[in-house]
Amino acid sequence: MDISRYLKEIDNIQNSDLLCRCCGAKVAVLSNASESICNFCEAFVTYDHANVVHGSREIEKNLLGMQNAVADGKWEEGVQYADALAATKEPHFLFGASAFYRYFSDRIYNGIDYSLPGFMYSNSEKRSDEYNKNKFNAMANISKSKEFLFKAIKIMNGTASQDPEIIFLHFMSEIKLKRNVLSKKLLNDIKGSKTPDQIKSYSEMVYGVATGDRQSEKYISDSISKGIANSIYYLSKYLASNKREIEASIILLTEFVKKTNMPMAYFDIISLKAVGNASYLEVY
């Protein structure tokens, strides 16, 4: 695929004043959109959500504290803020805290050093799920991430809310747990309700790429037209599903990360380079 057009789209990505109510991240967009999708946790974001972030000193402290820890690479310092958000038992905050733990897990997992001789005890500690070795090991963190998603889903199931934002949050939770049958049901609800176009377009794209839908490229183009920067990330996933396009995927992700700092994209670059090297591809 000729990716030159998409590289130009990446050049147009800009920071916005949108602030995610789930995780506190600032959102980068492809246009001056008043609504978009968070680059950190993938929640739907509007300008009104900044009022939630700044709605109380406690919530503001925890959301911004978690994001500052991520930005500084001091993940362990962010745990107290993520746990405090999850303790509210509010599905949006559980969703944001889940994203934090997922990326914390990826950060530890990708810190494994395969050049170490012998049994590589330090690597074993990072991946071990034994609490007395390292309570923030990769397995423990991904388990915590899933725990928060399941708790968020349980709360959302109990409310029977028709709010499109809640349905979308539920949909993304199921997607992240790879429960595609439930995701499909929620996607139908999203398409059949009075849902913002950004949510409809993004949901179709995410589900299409996750399930290998042949119309994925069409969904990606539509999402790009809505000004959603994350569309480039899903384009890279779509390309990476074809081993002949791994190089193109890495090039797109590398430029995309420079504009958005999306952890998910950063860790995908590491994984794709490993696949490329194993396949004797020229990777960057």
Side-chain angles (χ1 to χ4, degrees):
M1 175 184 286
D2 180 6
I3 62 171
S4 57
R5 168 201 161 189
Y6 299 108
L7 289 172
K8 289 179 181 177
E9 293 283 5
I10 293 173
D11 285 339
N12 293 327
I13 293 177
Q14 55 192 303
N15 292 325
S16 73
D17 292 327
L18 292 169
L19 202 58
C20 180
R21 66 173 293 181
C22 294
C23 68
K26 291 184 177 180
V27 181
V29 298
L30 281 166
S31 64
N32 293 320
S34 60
E35 300 173 335
S36 194
I37 306 295
C38 178
N39 315 117
F40 185 84
C41 72
E42 295 190 274
F44 179 62
V45 187
T46 75
Y47 279 122
D48 291 340
H49 291 173
N51 296 329
V52 177
V53 176
H54 302 302
S56 75
R57 288 186 179 180
E58 190 67 16
I59 293 301
E60 182 180 59
K61 179 189 76 174
N62 291 326
L63 285 171
L64 301 186
M66 186 171 72
Q67 282 301 321
N68 287 336
V70 172
D72 295 339
K74 298 178 180 179
W75 291 85
E76 290 189 16
E77 293 182 10
V79 166
Q80 61 178 311
Y81 304 114
D83 287 350
L85 290 166
T88 66
K89 298 182 180 180
E90 205 282 333
H92 292 87
F93 296 146
L94 281 163
F95 187 80
S98 171
F100 171 85
Y101 270 105
R102 174 187 173 179
Y103 300 136
F104 189 10
S105 175
D106 286 344
R107 176 68 182 84
I108 292 172
Y109 188 87
N110 286 289
I112 301 299
D113 184 358
Y114 289 102
S115 67
L116 294 175
F119 181 69
M120 302 181 288
Y121 287 98
S122 63
N123 287 347
S124 176
E125 289 176 3
K126 289 178 180 177
R127 287 189 178 167
S128 171
D129 58 1
E130 295 181 47
Y131 186 86
N132 60 347
K133 286 188 176 182
N134 175 12
K135 66 178 180 178
F136 296 130
N137 64 77
M139 288 297 296
N141 285 341
I142 198 64
S143 295
K144 181 70 73 172
S145 175
K146 290 179 180 180
E147 175 191 338
F148 288 166
L149 285 179
F150 281 119
K151 285 183 176 180
I153 289 169
K154 182 178 181 180
I155 293 168
M156 289 185 283
N157 278 333
T159 62
S161 174
Q162 298 302 307
D163 181 348
E165 291 186 33
I166 292 292
I167 297 173
F168 176 67
L169 197 72
H170 190 173
F171 167 80
M172 288 304 303
S173 297
E174 300 291 4
I175 281 285
K176 291 176 185 295
L177 290 169
K178 302 184 187 304
R179 303 204 298 185
N180 290 339
V181 173
L182 293 170
S183 301
K184 178 62 175 177
K185 179 182 180 300
L186 290 160
L187 178 61
N188 291 335
D189 292 341
I190 287 170
K191 291 194 289 187
S193 61
K194 295 180 180 179
T195 305
D197 288 341
Q198 287 87 349
I199 288 180
K200 287 183 179 180
S201 180
Y202 196 79
S203 300
E204 283 193 319
M205 175 184 67
V206 169
Y207 185 80
V209 172
T211 58
D213 192 323
R214 292 182 179 180
Q215 296 191 72
S216 292
E217 196 168 350
K218 169 192 166 186
Y219 299 144
I220 292 166
S221 294
D222 185 59
S223 186
I224 287 174
S225 73
K226 301 294 191 299
I228 301 172
N230 292 1
S231 312
I232 301 296
Y233 170 75
Y234 281 94
L235 172 63
S236 76
K237 287 183 71 69
Y238 172 70
L239 291 176
S241 65
N242 180 344
K243 288 186 178 181
R244 290 174 296 179
E245 299 287 1
I246 288 178
E247 278 188 60
S249 178
I250 292 172
I251 291 169
L252 284 173
L253 286 173
T254 300
E255 297 306 311
F256 179 71
V257 166
K258 292 176 184 177
K259 288 283 191 171
T260 65
N261 294 318
M262 178 192 268
M264 192 158 53
Y266 171 77
F267 294 124
D268 271 12
I269 292 172
I270 296 173
S271 297
L272 288 174
K273 283 186 175 181
V275 171
N277 288 332
S279 304
Y280 302 100
L281 295 174
E282 182 180 359
V283 293
Y284 299 87

